Amino acid sequence: MTENAAFIITQITNPLNLLLLLAGNVIGIVFGAIPGLNGTMAVMLFMPLTYGMETGPAIIFLLSLWIGGCSGGFIGSVLLGIPGSPSSVATCFDGHPMAKKGQAGRALAIGMTASFIGTFFSAVVGAILAQTVANIAFAIGPWEYFGLCFMAITMVLAISKGNMLKGLSSACLGLLLASVGYSPIDAQARFTFDNMYLMGGLGMTVVLIGIFGVSMMILAHAKGFDPLPTVDNSMIKGIGIKLSDIRENIVNISRSFLIGLGIGFLPGMGSGLSNLVAYSAAKNNSKHPETFGTGNPEGIWASESSNNASIGGAMIPMAALGIPGDSCTALLIGALTIHGLEMGPMVFRNSGDIVYLMFVVVAICAAVCFVLQAVGMRIFPQILKVPYHYMYPALIVVSLISAYVDSSSLYKCGMMLFFAVVGCIMAYGGLPQSPLILAFILGPTMESNMLKAFQNTETVATFFTRPISCVFNVIAICCVFSPVLKALYARFFRKENKQIAHEELKLNGNK
């Protein structure tokens, strides 16, 4: 342990490594804030530069890119209403309405504080429990993963603002879009119509930016632009929020942190799922759920503390099992392999210093991002002063560039515009977008695990005979039929109250 501590201190105090850490965080924040870009893309683009570095500096630079991208994703969601990645989708729901009300500084302050809390403490918990918690994830099979995805999709139907049928329709549409391309087991082409561009499926960037971002700009233009929000930075004192704000939301933060950490250490899940589940949990447990989606700070606390908590959680299966928790950890495993490190159960014995260096770097990057965002918090809201007729065309150009960079194909740019039209139709019909996005994200994982489960057994009963899987599936079914169950409960409870009142009245009459 002493040798590990000495190695970590040597690496962290190296001036070149500190410069790489600062540069990586700045680049990551920029990538995270720009719609269509994210920390994963930053790691992908800059990873070749680390091949000639030593292991310590390479890890520090790549992790700082990742943490900066995850922490900076809320900036675009708050200021522009366009999620830069699936992990920032739920932040749009209340972050952008707050910015429209002139509370952009407060929304950014909540986002950066929640990001710091989620990242820092998840790194601490990950370092302490990496070897123990990984055994739990390793024991979970495809039945449990299917149940978790099923439960997550049905739980987010609570965001459908009371119309369960429209929420289910949106989720089914998301599952349909997720099935485009080759099937995961037999590699049969589905819904491709002999189009080579659809063989690999629909890109996440194309669907996400098209339905959320471009459609929002089209609808805003059609309705007529609202007056520019008033941006008054003179009201921002210190970091923009008080300690009392954290105390008031401590239950929400703790619950969301645990959701993010738990989902993060499940291989293949990650922040794209955790932020929506945490948002749904916050809304269901709120005293005023009707205010969600109109600028409720609780939604930002839930989304940002959960998606950043998934960082430390995702590092647990990466280090202890060699299994990526999300797409970025998959890239990091590849980069570490190039440097001669093989992630897995033996890594703590063979390269424990490197593993604990990773957790320490994540914790330090959380603090660095917090400071950088606190400094820039008074500058970021100035974006809202740009007139809409200048901002929206520029954003559409950036969106088209993002779609092209993601696929190197102009065809996908056209697909993004098509999904923008789909988003407009959904808004006209009152269909919520969140169930569609979550179903699209989880659809491939849900399908592949279902097929793996049926390869082991041909009966559906297995999904209910395994305890953890049974719990997930029962919760999911109850979520789907929750309106019926609530109506039956209310009817029974009302009938029982009437009967009690009648008996009391009869008893008083006899007296």
Side-chain angles (χ1 to χ4, degrees):
M1 181 64 74
T2 305
E3 295 179 357
N4 292 345
F7 173 79
I8 292 172
I9 294 173
T10 302
Q11 292 294 325
I12 294 300
T13 56
N14 187 304
L16 177 60
N17 291 351
L18 289 175
L19 183 61
L20 288 173
L21 187 145
L22 179 62
N25 277 284
V26 172
I27 296 172
I29 291 174
V30 172
F31 268 71
I34 297 176
L37 304 182
N38 50 53
T40 303
M41 187 172 293
V43 172
M44 187 186 305
L45 292 176
F46 288 92
M47 188 168 63
L49 300 180
T50 65
Y51 293 161
M53 298 181 183
E54 295 182 359
T55 305
I59 289 175
I60 290 173
F61 184 57
L62 292 175
L63 286 176
S64 61
L65 289 170
W66 179 31
I67 304 305
C70 293
S71 299
F74 72 90
I75 297 175
S77 297
V78 170
L79 298 181
L80 307 176
I82 305 175
S85 65
S87 64
S88 303
V89 170
T91 309
C92 292
F93 300 154
D94 289 287
H96 194 54
M98 285 185 68
K100 287 184 174 180
K101 294 177 181 178
Q103 302 177 12
R106 176 171 168 77
L108 291 172
I110 294 173
M112 72 179 191
T113 306
S115 297
F116 169 76
I117 293 173
T119 306
F120 183 84
F121 289 103
S122 70
V124 174
V125 173
I128 297 172
L129 302 178
Q131 298 184 53
T132 304
V133 177
N135 295 330
I136 301 175
F138 193 64
I140 293 178
W143 301 270
E144 287 75 22
Y145 281 117
F146 171 83
L148 177 63
C149 295
F150 184 30
M151 181 185 70
I153 292 174
T154 55
M155 284 184 67
V156 175
L157 294 180
I159 305 176
S160 304
K161 297 182 180 180
N163 197 323
M164 184 68 74
L165 181 60
K166 290 185 177 181
L168 283 172
S169 302
S170 180
C172 290
L173 179 59
L175 292 175
L176 177 64
L177 295 176
S179 64
V180 174
Y182 289 115
S183 61
I185 301 296
D186 55 8
Q188 289 292 321
R190 303 175 303 188
F191 305 110
T192 58
F193 308 104
D194 295 327
N195 189 325
M196 60 175 291
Y197 294 104
L198 298 178
M199 296 295 182
L202 303 172
M204 177 61 63
T205 301
V206 171
V207 177
L208 194 65
I209 296 182
I211 289 180
F212 260 104
V214 180
S215 65
M216 181 271 293
M217 289 183 275
I218 293 174
L219 291 172
H221 186 275
K223 294 177 181 178
F225 295 128
D226 296 328
L228 292 175
T230 303
V231 181
D232 186 8
N233 290 339
S234 62
M235 300 298 293
I236 301 177
K237 305 296 182 182
I239 63 171
I241 58 174
K242 299 178 181 179
L243 189 61
S244 59
D245 294 322
I246 300 177
R247 286 199 301 265
E248 292 172 1
N249 291 274
I250 192 65
V251 175
N252 183 17
I253 295 171
S254 302
R255 179 180 58 244
S256 303
F257 175 83
L258 293 175
I259 290 174
L261 187 68
I263 292 177
F265 81 76
L266 295 174
M269 297 300 160
S271 55
L273 166 62
S274 64
N275 78 107
L276 288 166
V277 174
Y279 184 88
S280 177
K283 181 178 179 180
N284 291 335
N285 289 277
S286 175
K287 296 180 180 178
H288 304 286
E290 70 281 356
T291 61
F292 277 70
T294 62
N296 191 328
E298 294 180 28
I300 305 178
W301 283 112
S303 174
E304 288 303 313
S305 57
S306 62
N307 62 24
N308 284 272
S310 297
I311 294 174
M315 292 180 65
I316 294 174
M318 180 189 77
L321 301 176
I323 300 174
D326 55 16
S327 57
C328 193
T329 48
L331 291 174
L332 292 174
I333 289 176
L336 293 171
T337 303
I338 293 173
H339 286 277
L341 294 174
E342 186 175 353
M343 296 289 103
M346 297 298 293
V347 72
F348 288 94
R349 178 178 298 180
N350 299 332
S351 305
D353 52 353
I354 297 296
V355 176
Y356 289 109
L357 172 65
M358 293 167 60
F359 285 106
V360 171
V361 169
V362 170
I364 294 176
C365 285
V368 172
C369 284
F370 182 80
V371 173
L372 290 174
Q373 290 164 355
V375 173
M377 184 175 60
R378 291 160 177 79
I379 302 174
F380 297 148
Q382 302 305 316
I383 295 175
L384 297 175
K385 291 185 176 180
V386 179
Y388 294 118
H389 58 275
Y390 293 138
M391 180 187 295
Y392 283 178
L395 289 177
I396 290 178
V397 171
V398 171
S399 300
L400 291 171
I401 293 174
S402 300
Y404 181 79
V405 170
D406 183 62
S407 60
S408 299
S409 170
L410 288 175
Y411 185 86
K412 290 299 178 72
C413 296
M415 287 294 296
M416 187 192 69
L417 296 177
F418 169 77
F419 282 111
V421 176
V422 172
C424 294
I425 296 174
M426 290 180 64
Y428 182 78
L431 292 176
Q433 298 169 334
S434 307
L436 182 148
I437 294 298
L438 184 63
F440 180 75
I441 294 171
L442 296 181
T445 303
M446 187 176 177
E447 181 187 12
S448 62
N449 282 289
M450 181 186 69
L451 295 177
K452 289 176 184 177
F454 281 125
Q455 283 181 330
N456 291 284
T457 177
E458 296 181 357
T459 176
V460 180
T462 313
F463 289 92
F464 295 93
T465 55
R466 295 172 65 95
I468 299 177
S469 174
C470 179
V471 171
F472 287 157
N473 285 299
V474 169
I475 293 175
I477 293 172
C478 290
C479 288
V480 174
F481 292 100
S482 59
V484 178
L485 295 175
K486 288 180 180 179
L488 290 175
Y489 175 78
R491 183 178 179 183
F492 174 78
F493 188 71
R494 190 162 49 245
K495 182 178 179 181
E496 184 176 334
N497 285 344
K498 286 182 178 180
Q499 185 176 358
I500 293 173
H502 178 72
E503 291 178 355
E504 289 180 351
L505 183 63
K506 184 178 180 182
L507 182 62
N508 293 331
N510 293 332
K511 290 180 179 179

